[in-house]
Amino acid sequence: MRIATIGGGPGGLYASLLLKRSSPDLDVTVFEKNPRGATYGWGVVFSDRTLASFREADYKSYVDITDHFVIWDAIDIRYRDALVRAGGQVFSGIARRRLLDILTNRCTEVGVDVRFETEVVAEQLSDHDLVVAADGIHSATREGRAEIFKPRIRDGRARYIWFGTTLPLDSFTFVFRSNDDGLFQVHAYPFDGTTSTFIVECNEQTWRRAGLHEASEAESIAYCEKLFAGDLRDNALMSNQSQWISFPTLKTKAWVDAGLDGVPIALLGDSAHTAHFSIGSGTKLAMEDAIALANAFEERDAARGDPKKLRTTLADYQMERKPIVERFQEAAQQSQSYFESTSRYQELEPEQFVFHLLTRSGRIDYGNLRQRDPFLIEHVDRRFAAHSGGNERAAVAPPPALVPFDLGGVRLDNRVVLSPVAAGSCPEGVIARSDREMLGSALSASAGLVLTDEVAVSAHARITQGDAGLYDDAQVEAFRDLLDRGGPVALRLNHSGARGATKPRATGLDRPLDSGGWPLVAASPLAYGRNATPNALDDRTRPEILEDFSVAARNAGRAGVDAVVVEMGRGYLLGGFLSPLTNQRTDELGGDIRARMRFPLEVFDAVRAEFGGPVGASVCADDWQRGGTKAEDALALVAELRERGCAIVEVTAGFTTPRFTPHLDPYYLTVLSEQIRNESGVPTLIGGGITTVDRINTLLGGARADLCVLRWSA
């Protein structure tokens, strides 16, 4: 069986080595268009977990690689005038050129034919049984079959340039420096005893203000050497065809062309995927791809040349490896988003800034960092508690989740929120049976705050017939009797809008009633899924609904509620006004975001006028649908809410229409929350898939939210 590998980078060489080593009868050839030793970049970084897989795959190359490692166990962050060191972060670095030499020599040793300065295309390899395309981000092999592989490339919003330096570092180092042009940041790490990688990054506006979009290679070096002179300690920067670029994130629909009309092709490494350099190495991913491909060959005994077995082998390779890489890319996207928005966090204190940086991708959390560097976490805890009025010199500081919070004058003993989902068991809107039991259980669970599910402001504002309400005295009395037994309670006041008159949610979401429904009202006469078409809000219903919210707000005070949250998301009435997907009005309540927010703000003002305690709002920050609300719209709304004394913003996403694309990442609201919190200055509350207090500590400690809903069952 003959295998051709296009591309002599680490991924292509390692795949060829492993395939030949496992099946010596294979005829394996590597075609590399560049001379031996020609490479872009400086050093390569590996983690402990990656090294363990290398040891299992080929022990001899593993020994050769680790013999040339530089190993460190700390990350240094230079921010403002502070230097913060985070220990327990074990990584290893090696010169990329050295790694290529080791893998080339090992390939030759096991019998792989490595041909440098030989450029080929897949069409020239018809006499082979398999082509492994490891020809990088600009893969001609992939682009030649784009209709099969379906690649998508998205360029990042920042600019970066890849330098080397003669500065011998002893840690992975992040540097943040500002000048008149803006904020610059550095990702630097050692890879031998005398040289380090030094990547400089900034946003597009800063890059242009600095004139770097017109700068030569030498001018870019001179600018960066001057800016980071203190950090470089008078060491020089070195270029290797270095230029300012945006990071391209590549995703491919398929990694394999089964070759039914020709030779099968398997993509590997950067030809199939990329992940931002701030979270890991493309080299690491490519070499792990190589291991997965070689393992699939062994497990299916594909080296015998049976075409059917080969197709199954390649399918196994894609099925095993692609989901792993996609999860890695999700984490890389979180990290990339952070580094494209670091100016948002410049007001954070050094310890909190460092904690936010280290937990940016979701792969490291509060618990991980406590194990790795308990002293750092003690500093984070102490500063967090002190910022909330605690004693910075306390011998023991509580974790962020247990630090009290002032919600508009209401003291919460901790920052954990419980929000039981309504069962829809409230006859005539009077809280009873299952809903009463669940809310009672939450009230006795020692959470800082209990946030109710949607409570209707009128009979016509209900989602289902079993929803709780606050529009008559019996409902007020039932709530008052229950709330007397527990701690602070916030109540979501809601009008269902187009999502009303549906069956109990236990039978499925948004299933319209067969009979006994009530007239619906919305921003525009657009049905929500299969629901009845609502009437557009008019001069009659507008004051009626304002009065309904006012009455419900007064009743909330009578019932002993501590805070109120006005529901402005999730596709209900007020959320329908805010989204361009559901607000198609041409009067004063429709059009741009300023007009679309007019009626929701009128409602907020009415509630504030009638409720004596803190009032917040639940806001949709992203419709997760093309043409819908984005974070910029939410920020405009929150700016207006802040001027009106909004105490807290619950950040939500999706559900504006049934056609949204859900995001199931446990941290799916994190980026939206931290943007709203840190740009608007309004405290935020988020929920989603938060299942542990450890995750809450991560979100709070990293300034991503102020309160978190814990997914909880009584």
Side-chain angles (χ1 to χ4, degrees):
M1 182 178 183
R2 302 187 70 198
I3 298 176
T5 300
I6 303 177
L13 290 170
Y14 202 47
S16 302
L17 158 63
L18 298 180
L19 289 167
K20 180 68 174 178
R21 179 179 172 275
S22 64
S23 300
D25 292 338
L26 287 175
D27 181 344
V28 183
T29 305
V30 177
F31 298 94
E32 169 54 50
K33 65 181 179 181
N34 293 315
R36 179 166 181 164
T39 183
Y40 175 72
W42 298 92
V44 178
V45 176
F46 297 115
S47 66
D48 285 349
R49 183 177 299 178
T50 300
L51 294 179
S53 64
F54 289 176
R55 184 179 61 243
E56 298 300 320
D58 180 56
Y59 186 74
K60 190 171 189 309
S61 61
Y62 161 79
V63 171
D64 289 342
I65 291 169
T66 53
D67 279 350
H68 292 89
F69 266 160
V70 172
I71 300 173
W72 65 91
D73 67 350
I75 295 177
D76 284 351
I77 298 92
R78 298 178 180 272
Y79 167 71
R80 296 183 185 171
D81 295 323
L83 169 61
V84 180
R85 169 161 286 200
Q89 315 285 333
V90 180
F91 287 93
S92 307
I94 186 172
R96 182 176 173 84
R97 190 167 294 170
R98 174 70 69 181
L99 176 64
L100 288 171
D101 265 348
I102 290 170
L103 295 177
T104 300
N105 292 338
R106 182 69 175 129
C107 278
T108 302
E109 184 179 315
V110 299
V112 175
D113 182 7
V114 183
R115 303 181 187 180
F116 292 102
E117 300 182 72
T118 306
E119 187 168 3
V120 298
V121 294
E123 289 72 19
Q124 296 173 303
L125 302 170
S126 58
D127 56 342
H128 287 70
D129 300 290
L130 172 65
V131 172
V132 177
D135 45 347
I137 178 67
H138 302 297
S139 170
T141 313
R142 182 193 67 237
E143 293 307 309
R145 288 166 173 74
E147 73 283 357
I148 294 172
F149 295 120
K150 294 182 171 57
R152 292 169 293 134
I153 296 179
R154 182 185 60 81
D155 287 331
R157 294 183 287 114
R159 297 280 179 165
Y160 74 97
I161 189 166
W162 204 297
F163 292 126
T165 177
T166 52
L167 173 68
L169 293 168
D170 65 351
S171 67
F172 200 113
T173 302
F174 292 106
V175 183
F176 298 86
R177 291 280 176 258
S178 296
N179 62 12
D180 291 341
D181 297 321
L183 175 67
F184 292 80
Q185 53 215 19
V186 166
H187 313 243
Y189 54 87
F191 60 83
D192 63 25
T194 60
T195 320
S196 302
T197 293
F198 200 89
I199 305 169
V200 181
E201 185 179 23
C202 63
N203 65 34
E204 181 86 12
Q205 294 77 19
T206 297
W207 179 65
R208 291 187 177 277
R209 276 196 300 268
L212 294 168
H213 62 299
E214 300 174 327
S216 67
E217 190 174 12
E219 289 169 336
S220 292
I221 289 176
Y223 184 97
C224 293
E225 284 182 339
K226 180 179 179 181
L227 176 61
F228 296 105
D231 306 293
L232 287 167
R233 289 172 253 163
D234 296 324
N235 285 272
L237 290 177
M238 302 181 295
S239 178
N240 181 3
Q241 301 179 17
S242 302
Q243 55 184 314
W244 292 95
I245 58 175
S246 298
F247 187 85
T249 298
L250 166 68
K251 297 182 179 181
T252 51
K253 185 78 171 180
W255 291 18
V256 170
D257 175 357
L260 297 177
D261 299 319
V263 180
I265 297 174
L267 302 181
L268 186 144
D270 282 358
S271 66
H273 52 77
T274 59
H276 193 254
F277 57 83
S278 63
I279 194 175
S281 166
T283 301
K284 156 198 150 60
L285 292 177
M287 293 177 70
E288 289 175 343
D289 289 350
I291 293 170
L293 180 61
N295 287 344
F297 252 78
E298 264 195 280
E299 289 168 7
R300 292 289 183 179
D301 195 21
R304 295 182 180 275
D306 181 339
K308 184 176 180 180
K309 280 189 175 182
L310 178 58
R311 287 194 295 272
T312 305
T313 295
L314 297 180
D316 287 351
Y317 161 64
Q318 175 174 295
M319 288 175 64
E320 177 192 344
R321 190 70 186 142
K322 190 168 183 282
I324 294 173
V325 170
E326 287 173 346
R327 288 195 296 273
F328 196 92
Q329 286 181 308
E330 288 175 3
Q333 177 57 43
Q334 296 266 20
S335 179
Q336 180 177 351
S337 176
Y338 168 83
F339 282 107
E340 291 175 345
S341 309
T342 45
S343 58
R344 188 182 298 158
Y345 315 113
Q346 293 304 289
E347 299 305 314
L348 300 181
E349 293 298 317
E351 289 83 3
Q352 190 171 38
F353 181 88
V354 168
F355 181 84
H356 186 279
L357 185 155
L358 295 176
T359 58
R360 65 192 180 278
S361 69
R363 296 197 307 159
I364 295 177
D365 62 15
Y366 180 92
N368 299 140
L369 281 178
R370 179 170 285 284
Q371 288 181 327
R372 297 179 187 209
D373 191 342
F375 300 105
L376 172 65
I377 293 300
E378 285 180 14
H379 283 296
V380 171
D381 289 349
R382 192 170 289 111
R383 288 295 301 151
F384 189 92
H387 189 69
S388 300
N391 179 7
E392 187 174 0
R393 300 177 62 84
V396 178
L402 299 183
V403 172
F405 180 73
D406 181 0
L407 178 62
V410 176
R411 176 187 167 86
L412 309 183
D413 289 338
N414 62 69
R415 298 178 182 233
V416 178
V417 178
L418 297 182
S419 186
V421 177
S425 62
C426 304
E428 303 300 324
V430 177
I431 189 164
R433 298 196 295 271
S434 298
D435 288 290
R436 185 180 183 88
E437 291 173 9
M438 284 192 294
L439 187 54
S441 179
L443 288 168
S444 63
S446 300
L449 180 70
V450 173
L451 176 62
T452 72
D453 207 339
E454 315 296 346
V455 175
V457 298
S458 72
H460 285 180
R462 292 174 297 166
I463 304 166
T464 76
Q465 292 171 321
D467 284 3
L470 265 181
Y471 45 88
D472 69 25
D473 290 342
Q475 297 161 358
V476 173
E477 186 61 34
F479 265 112
R480 182 165 53 216
D481 177 62
L482 179 61
L483 300 186
D484 282 344
R485 309 176 189 180
V489 175
L491 185 143
R492 283 198 191 99
L493 285 183
N494 183 44
H495 191 297
S496 61
R499 293 189 70 182
T502 63
K503 295 178 181 178
R505 283 179 281 183
T507 67
L509 283 178
D510 303 304
R511 299 182 62 209
L513 291 168
D514 297 325
S515 62
W518 48 89
L520 304 179
V521 64
S524 299
L526 301 173
Y528 193 95
R530 295 174 296 166
N531 285 12
T533 300
N535 297 312
L537 185 85
D538 56 26
D539 291 340
R540 178 184 63 83
T541 50
R542 183 175 179 176
E544 288 178 356
I545 290 173
L546 284 170
E547 179 62 17
D548 289 339
F549 272 97
S550 296
V551 170
R554 286 197 298 272
N555 286 340
R558 292 171 56 207
V561 172
D562 299 280
V564 162
V565 174
V566 179
E567 179 60 75
M568 296 185 181
R570 298 183 174 92
Y572 299 122
L573 176 65
L574 302 185
F577 271 90
L578 291 165
S579 174
L581 297 174
T582 48
N583 185 340
Q584 299 181 0
R585 302 174 71 104
T586 57
D587 62 3
E588 64 168 357
L589 302 182
D592 64 15
I593 183 59
R594 294 289 168 188
R596 298 198 307 272
M597 72 171 73
R598 184 170 283 120
F599 182 64
L601 290 175
E602 286 180 5
V603 170
F604 186 86
D605 289 340
V607 172
R608 278 273 292 159
E610 297 296 337
F611 184 73
V615 179
S618 183
V619 172
C620 179
D622 195 326
D623 284 340
W624 285 340
Q625 197 172 336
R626 184 172 297 177
T629 296
K630 297 299 180 188
E632 292 72 22
D633 298 321
L635 281 166
L637 172 64
V638 173
E640 291 292 332
L641 290 170
R642 181 188 60 220
E643 295 302 312
R644 289 163 164 79
C646 182
I648 192 93
V649 167
E650 180 190 19
V651 180
T652 72
F655 290 99
T656 299
T657 82
R659 293 180 292 279
F660 74 100
T661 301
H663 294 208
L664 302 178
D665 177 355
Y667 284 91
Y668 68 86
L669 293 172
T670 298
V671 173
L672 297 170
S673 174
E674 67 183 14
Q675 182 175 1
I676 289 172
R677 179 191 187 277
N678 293 301
E679 291 189 18
S680 74
V682 179
T684 59
L685 158 70
I686 57 173
I690 303 175
T691 56
T692 66
V693 175
D694 193 55
R695 183 164 290 166
I696 291 177
N697 286 327
T698 304
L699 297 172
L700 299 176
R704 297 174 174 91
D706 297 274
L707 299 173
C708 293
V709 178
L710 179 67
R711 184 177 288 179
W712 165 87
S713 58

